[in-house]
Amino acid sequence: MFTRNETVNTSVTHGFEDLITYHIVNTSLGAISTLVNTLLIIIFISYRPFRTRYVLLILLNVGDLINSMAIVLTGLNRIELYSTAIRTMTLPVRTSLECAIEPWLILKLIGDILIPVSTFWMGVERLVAILFPIFYRFSVDGKAVKYLVVPGISLLFVFVSICVAFYLAFTENHPTSFYCGRKAAFGEGFGTFIYCCNITCNVASTIFATAAYFKALRLSKTQPRMQRQVNVIRYYLLISVLSTLLVSLPNTIALFQLYVEKVSDSLSKPAYWMQTINSGIHFFVYLALNKEFRARTFRMFKMVHSEEMSLSKKQSPDGCETPLRGSAKTLTARTA
């Protein structure tokens, strides 16, 4: 698996069994999250009104899907790494550039940046829609700003961040930790940037969405049409709050470990599971709070179920043709 290895003793591999267990759990959560996000993106893309209305939610969904896939690949990589170390009593010798080109780390980097940026824009959009409704209606909603400019800026930010990361890994190439990771590949400075990006974007989105929610709630008392905005902001706000609790908190812990003091694994490891759960929980938020999304989802499942029932009725188990309902014809065996 690795080109260079060094021999170690049991003191180095002590605790690797616990790390394998941790990554098995995280990989399983990542696999579930991948399936959920795949279903979610199918629901969004397959229905035109959703494609035009939920641009930022789709952008967030793409980030969650990429992050979920990265979690699975990361877990498989780490399980193989620690299992090999226990079996052979060797560890790979890695450089920061070798770590940087790992596919799982590249995907993780994309997800780590795209998710908080998408969440940030969601809070901004809701606040603008409530505070400046006329401007939002004529200049944002259904316009290039929403479909092209905001997603374009978000993707450009991700691309520039990745370019900076690889520049750091290339120019400061040096031996690093055997398990790689963002700080190992791109340096502590860039790792701090990732942590701060997640914390700042999620907290800012929560503040914006909260302000928009209470403003819309007050307006709905005199403007009945504002109730729809209240319903929309409700699940935007819940997504922001969940991201703050499940993502910003673990990143705060990581930042604390980097500059202050190491936190025990009993606290830090479950905190990372929280980030994985956050990438797969948005589907259930929409299902609970978005009536139209719920109706569309149930309709899709009903259509699939109806097609399966239809196929099962057309052909009997022994390969005979089944007559139409109400027909007096008898079953006729198919000829070879």
Side-chain angles (χ1 to χ4, degrees):
M1 183 178 178
F2 303 105
T3 56
R4 293 168 295 154
N5 295 277
E6 62 179 358
T7 303
V8 296
N9 53 40
T10 54
S11 63
V12 176
T13 60
H14 176 71
F16 279 11
E17 293 87 352
D18 293 336
L19 291 174
I20 291 173
T21 302
Y22 158 74
H23 283 292
I24 289 175
V25 174
N26 207 38
T27 302
S28 301
L29 292 173
I32 295 171
S33 181
T34 301
L35 294 175
V36 170
N37 280 293
T38 300
L39 173 62
L40 181 56
I41 203 167
I42 290 173
I43 294 172
F44 277 143
I45 299 299
S46 64
Y47 189 45
R48 184 175 181 181
F50 285 180
R51 292 199 303 269
T52 57
R53 190 181 308 156
Y54 299 135
V55 176
L56 293 181
L57 297 187
I58 293 173
L59 190 66
L60 176 63
N61 182 203
V62 171
D64 282 330
L65 179 58
I66 292 173
N67 188 59
S68 300
M69 294 168 60
I71 289 169
V72 173
L73 294 177
T74 302
L76 294 176
N77 177 275
R78 297 289 174 82
I79 292 170
E80 173 67 18
L81 175 66
Y82 294 130
S83 299
T84 301
I86 294 173
R87 186 176 66 255
T88 64
M89 297 306 294
T90 61
L91 287 175
V93 178
R94 314 297 302 277
T95 66
S96 56
L97 187 58
E98 288 174 334
C99 289
I101 60 176
E102 289 280 1
W104 57 267
L105 187 56
I106 297 173
L107 290 177
K108 191 73 173 67
L109 189 60
I110 296 173
D112 282 338
I113 302 172
L114 184 57
I115 292 174
V117 169
S118 302
T119 306
F120 171 78
W121 283 121
M122 287 166 56
V124 171
E125 184 205 27
R126 287 301 93 198
L127 188 62
V128 171
I130 298 303
L131 296 183
F132 311 101
I134 297 177
F135 169 78
Y136 179 81
R137 186 179 306 163
F138 292 102
S139 302
V140 178
D141 194 27
K143 303 298 187 297
V145 171
K146 185 174 182 178
Y147 296 134
L148 297 176
V149 176
V150 171
I153 292 175
S154 302
L155 295 176
L156 180 62
F157 182 73
V158 173
F159 176 75
V160 171
S161 299
I162 292 175
C163 288
V164 171
F166 274 92
Y167 174 79
L168 293 173
F170 181 79
T171 57
E172 301 178 11
N173 190 26
H174 60 275
T176 188
S177 59
F178 65 91
Y179 54 82
C180 292
R182 291 169 301 190
K183 295 192 298 294
F186 310 118
E188 292 186 354
F190 191 81
T192 301
F193 162 74
I194 295 293
Y195 299 145
C196 291
C197 180
N198 276 269
I199 295 169
T200 303
C201 288
N202 291 325
V203 171
S205 179
T206 301
I207 294 172
F208 294 156
T210 301
Y213 179 73
F214 285 109
K215 177 70 174 178
L217 205 60
R218 288 195 300 269
L219 293 175
S220 65
K221 296 177 181 178
T222 57
Q223 304 176 28
R225 294 180 61 184
M226 189 59 64
Q227 185 59 43
R228 182 181 179 278
Q229 291 294 334
V230 173
N231 296 335
V232 172
I233 297 172
R234 188 177 289 126
Y235 57 82
Y236 273 63
L237 176 58
L238 183 55
I239 289 173
S240 298
V241 171
L242 288 172
S243 296
T244 299
L245 294 176
L246 301 179
V247 178
S248 294
L249 180 58
N251 278 275
T252 302
I253 292 174
L255 204 58
F256 181 84
Q257 289 192 112
L258 182 60
Y259 290 105
V260 182
E261 186 178 355
K262 181 175 176 58
V263 178
S264 65
D265 287 345
S266 60
L267 178 62
S268 62
K269 298 305 182 186
Y272 289 111
W273 292 341
M274 291 162 57
Q275 295 185 77
T276 306
I277 292 172
N278 184 71
S279 283
I281 204 172
H282 298 151
F283 171 83
F284 303 100
V285 172
Y286 306 142
L287 202 62
L289 299 181
N290 189 324
K291 184 178 180 181
E292 188 179 8
F293 178 86
R294 183 165 59 248
R296 175 64 182 173
T297 302
F298 290 161
R299 192 177 302 118
M300 284 186 62
F301 280 113
K302 186 176 180 180
M303 288 170 59
V304 172
H305 179 69
S306 298
E307 289 177 0
E308 291 176 349
M309 291 295 293
S310 177
L311 289 172
S312 65
K313 289 179 179 180
K314 287 179 181 178
Q315 185 170 347
S316 60
D318 59 357
C320 295
E321 293 180 357
T322 306
L324 296 175
R325 183 178 297 179
S327 173
K329 296 180 179 180
T330 58
L331 296 177
T332 304
R334 291 180 178 176
T335 57

